[in-house]
Amino acid sequence: MADEEKDSVEDYSPLKDFRAEIEVQEGAFSLCFWLYLMSSTAFPARLIQVQSGATEGAPFLVLSEKKKMVLLPLGILHKEAPETCDLTSLSEVPHVAMETEFPMEKWIHIGCEVSSDFVLLHIDGEIAGKKAMSSLFNKDSISNGLTKITLVCGGGDDNSLKGYVHNHKVLPLTSSIMEYYAKDPPLQLSIDNSSASEIEEGGDGVWSIVGGKASCRRIFSLDVVLLDAFSHPINKELEVIASLVYADNGASVEKTSDGEAPLLASQDGVEFASCDRPSKMLHGHASFKLKISQLSSKCDNRMFRIMFHMPKLETYPFLKAFSPPIRCISRNRSTRISSRLWKRPASANDQLNLSQLSGLDDETLELQHSSIHEEKPSPSSKRCRLGQDDKCNSHSRTANQVKNVVRRSNSVEELDDSQTDSESPEARNSALKSTSSSRNPMSDATIFKYCLAGLTEKTLLLKEISSTASNEELLSFAHQVSLYSGCSHHRHQIAMAKRLTEEGNKAWNLISQNKHQVPWESVVFEIEEQFMKIACCNSRALSQQDFELLRRIAGCQEYLAQENFEKMWCWLYPVALTLSKDWINTMWSSTSPKWIEGFITKEEAETSLQGSRGLQESGTFVLRFPTSRSWPHPDAGSLVVTYVGSKHTIHNKIISLDQMFSSAERENNAKPLQDMLLAEPELSRLGRIIRSR
């Protein structure tokens, strides 16, 4: 094993091997360690118990039947301690416990302070509970009875405790548990969702990926990142391997009938078995370009997962990362209608109830307010409430429309046989006839090609169109796409195409000075200047953390090539354009309170809502821009509200801004966005993002 690998795992040990010998000084001691519990751990469970001394066999640290971490004083007499096999009686004995469930499959720092006066339980550097001892025992009961104790795992030999311990320390009385909390945090391998491309995610969280034969399968990209417990990337020279396993049992997926490996890595256009092509980590990230050759239909319709692991370190579950379940489909399979719901709002004046959006799988939040007055949407301006790429329910209908056009190219009126509840055949046909009779510089073939294309194809098509089309022609094209797809959600992205590409080309020419690639550190000033100009904001500059996220989105390290710049620009430009709107610009410029902390990932937002005692109070929320949504994705530049729901679960909802900003009059007469957010029943207080300095 390489020295780097040894350094990575030398201080990780199974929980069943835990052992701490403690010299009690002045009737007190402190102990701290990092704990990782598998989700398969049975509870209630005796995690740590006393092995020697007057209280031998007594539990010390327990996971209760409600999955709460419990610390028991060592001064409890044998008869008061719970029986070995019965931990349900904890409420009958003095103890200190967390207020919320202990998170599984996540590193948590635990600190225990025990003295003759009190016991303290620390979780992730903060006090989770304290119990005074003076009213329970004689103050000298510990100091008189204990001078040396040994703590061991209390799981016994039944192998029901599955977990790992890192960096456990018995501390001097003068030391602080908080000080050790910040030292040598453990590592965990995770998937970087912001890097995913060419992956379709359904309403049930299942990924759909086109695979199968070489002529059909599509390449998709995914990164994994090695993070410490504080979500900081760790720069270690390690290799990561990707493999395909079954989602239900973790077994390896078999080769295809042609003998091909089920998961292929693509390098310079050549395909290799993924297990033969590990990816090297650079600054904590490993990038993969993959293809799946095995179809779910060939495997009894079972779903897959992609497992990422490091060679020789497979035994450590925290150094593995698994994708969501994957359904691998062939390209010829008919488009599957998304399970997410979509509908047109009944009225612009209706007050939104967040619970009504449960059918959207926490994806879209469409704010309404009394100061907005708008006409009832026409059939051609339906709003598709969906947060994923090209998953409007009208997609399958558009496919049928194209087939109809192929069969009846001269009959535009027959493109759509379906109706909404508020449409009549006459109204629909009238709109189509009116459109077909007007001057349209874009051919029907181009319009339908865009409607059915994937995100990459849309990008190339829009760049080609915008190079010759005028702004008016682009707006007409956007209207045509909205009409024929039955969804106006793409209109904003098409409208910005010309300005985005032109300003992006100018910015790159200015940055590169005709060089193929330039040092990242030398371009940050120009990127910031371009961003502030587009966002119409001179009072707030980008932070170091903002630039780090932009570099991750660009997919570069020390040097920035044009390909990397374009990836970054397609994310940053829609964001800057959103911030240029008065409603959002005011919030971005605000420093007290800081409504938008900066560029953060979904994981950082959710972590900020999880304090040491569990989730923050219901209604706490933070605002962010979705890092996985780049132009021309319909949600590029949108705001996402990440909040703690009424049932103490975290939700992520995209705020629909396209209707808000569709007219200057509406924008001028609207309430401030922050007021509309706080008017929502499930949003009550602004949270904070704690970012490292």
Side-chain angles (χ1 to χ4, degrees), residues 394-555:
S394 60
H395 186 92
S396 59
R397 183 180 62 193
T398 306
N400 292 331
Q401 293 175 2
V402 174
K403 293 178 183 177
N404 290 337
V405 169
V406 173
R407 292 194 299 264
R408 300 183 295 274
S409 58
N410 295 325
S411 182
V412 181
E413 295 88 341
E414 297 178 2
L415 292 181
D416 187 6
D417 297 328
S418 62
Q419 304 173 30
T420 65
D421 54 1
S422 61
E423 293 177 355
S424 65
E426 293 77 9
R428 180 67 174 176
N429 289 338
S430 174
L432 289 169
K433 287 178 180 178
S434 173
T435 302
S436 62
S437 63
S438 61
R439 178 180 177 271
N440 179 22
M442 307 296 175
S443 66
D444 285 348
T446 302
I447 295 168
F448 295 131
K449 182 179 180 181
Y450 186 87
C451 291
L452 296 178
L455 195 61
T456 301
E457 295 169 293
K458 279 184 168 66
T459 303
L460 297 175
L461 189 58
L462 276 180
K463 286 182 178 179
E464 179 183 350
I465 292 173
S466 63
S467 64
T468 57
S470 65
N471 288 325
E472 291 75 13
E473 289 171 336
L474 279 175
L475 289 174
S476 175
F477 177 62
H479 176 70
Q480 296 288 327
V481 170
S482 300
L483 180 64
Y484 290 126
S485 67
C487 175
S488 62
H489 207 18
H490 300 277
R491 184 175 298 176
H492 181 56
Q493 305 300 324
I494 296 175
M496 75 170 72
K498 191 174 186 68
R499 185 179 169 191
L500 179 146
T501 53
E502 289 180 351
E503 295 192 18
N505 289 334
K506 290 179 182 178
W508 172 248
N509 292 334
L510 184 63
I511 289 172
S512 65
Q513 298 294 315
N514 295 323
K515 296 178 182 177
H516 177 65
Q517 56 182 12
V518 290
W520 171 261
E521 296 301 330
S522 67
V523 304
V524 293
F525 175 78
E526 184 62 36
I527 291 174
E528 181 177 61
E529 188 174 271
Q530 293 289 332
F531 169 78
M532 295 178 71
K533 180 177 71 174
I534 299 166
C536 303
C537 179
N538 296 320
S539 60
R540 180 173 177 178
L542 297 179
S543 67
Q544 182 63 36
Q545 290 89 346
D546 294 335
F547 283 118
E548 284 301 317
L549 182 58
L550 289 178
R551 179 152 64 172
R552 287 170 57 185
I553 292 173

Side-chain angles (χ1 to χ4, degrees), residues 215-408:
S215 60
C216 300
R217 56 191 177 228
R218 294 178 181 173
I219 191 169
F220 60 96
S221 302
L222 205 57
D223 288 5
V224 293
V225 57
L226 186 64
L227 304 172
D228 64 18
F230 305 118
S231 298
H232 300 149
I234 301 300
N235 187 18
K236 288 185 177 290
E237 295 182 1
L238 299 170
E239 291 185 337
V240 182
I241 291 177
S243 58
L244 196 67
V245 300
Y246 285 109
D248 52 6
N249 61 9
S252 298
V253 175
E254 302 83 3
K255 292 183 178 180
T256 66
S257 57
D258 297 331
E260 270 192 312
L263 186 66
L264 303 171
S266 179
Q267 294 185 357
D268 299 324
V270 182
E271 296 176 352
F272 304 90
S274 61
C275 58
D276 297 334
R277 284 294 186 273
S279 178
K280 291 186 178 181
M281 282 200 156
L282 188 61
H283 297 288
H285 285 74
S287 299
F288 291 85
K289 294 184 180 296
L290 302 169
K291 295 182 179 181
I292 300 178
S293 62
Q294 186 65 280
L295 295 172
S296 293
S297 60
K298 302 291 186 181
C299 301
D300 298 326
N301 289 320
R302 296 169 70 184
M303 288 190 284
F304 310 138
R305 289 183 190 269
I306 299 175
M307 179 181 73
F308 299 93
H309 68 277
M310 302 177 190
K312 302 179 183 180
L313 303 178
E314 299 94 335
T315 56
Y316 295 96
F318 46 87
L319 295 179
K320 292 181 182 178
F322 291 87
S323 74
I326 295 172
R327 183 180 291 106
C328 186
I329 60 176
S330 64
R331 186 173 62 181
N332 292 330
R333 181 174 174 177
S334 59
T335 305
R336 179 170 55 89
I337 296 178
S338 171
S339 61
R340 293 192 173 107
L341 304 179
W342 66 280
K343 60 182 179 179
R344 179 188 302 129
S347 168
N349 296 327
D350 291 344
Q351 182 67 33
L352 177 71
N353 184 342
L354 292 184
S355 62
Q356 296 173 355
L357 296 180
S358 58
L360 300 176
D361 194 28
D362 296 346
E363 284 294 338
T364 306
L365 171 62
E366 195 165 308
L367 296 174
Q368 308 289 351
H369 48 84
S370 58
S371 64
I372 290 182
H373 300 282
E374 67 181 60
E375 296 178 0
K376 184 177 181 180
S378 66
S380 63
S381 63
K382 287 184 290 186
R383 169 70 170 91
C384 181
R385 291 170 141 195
L386 217 49
Q388 299 296 331
D389 178 28
D390 303 322
K391 282 193 245 160
C392 304
N393 284 3
S394 60
H395 186 92
S396 59
R397 183 180 62 193
T398 306
N400 292 331
Q401 293 175 2
V402 174
K403 293 178 183 177
N404 290 337
V405 169
V406 173
R407 292 194 299 264
R408 300 183 295 274

Side-chain angles (χ1 to χ4, degrees), residues 93-108:
V93 297
H95 64 272
V96 179
M98 294 177 61
E99 295 181 357
T100 57
E101 288 187 3
F102 187 83
M104 296 294 184
E105 299 192 353
K106 179 181 180 181
W107 283 108
I108 302 295

Side-chain angles (χ1 to χ4, degrees), residues 656-675:
S656 173
L657 300 176
D658 56 337
Q659 288 187 336
M660 291 182 179
F661 302 140
S662 57
S663 74
E665 180 182 359
R666 184 179 303 145
E667 183 174 349
N668 292 333
N669 295 334
K671 291 180 182 178
L673 180 57
Q674 52 267 43
D675 291 349

Side-chain angles (χ1 to χ4, degrees), residues 188-209:
Q188 188 164 353
L189 191 67
S190 303
I191 292 178
D192 181 4
N193 291 322
S194 66
S195 68
S197 66
E198 298 302 320
I199 296 173
E200 177 183 331
E201 183 179 4
D204 54 0
V206 174
W207 287 1
S208 290
I209 295 177

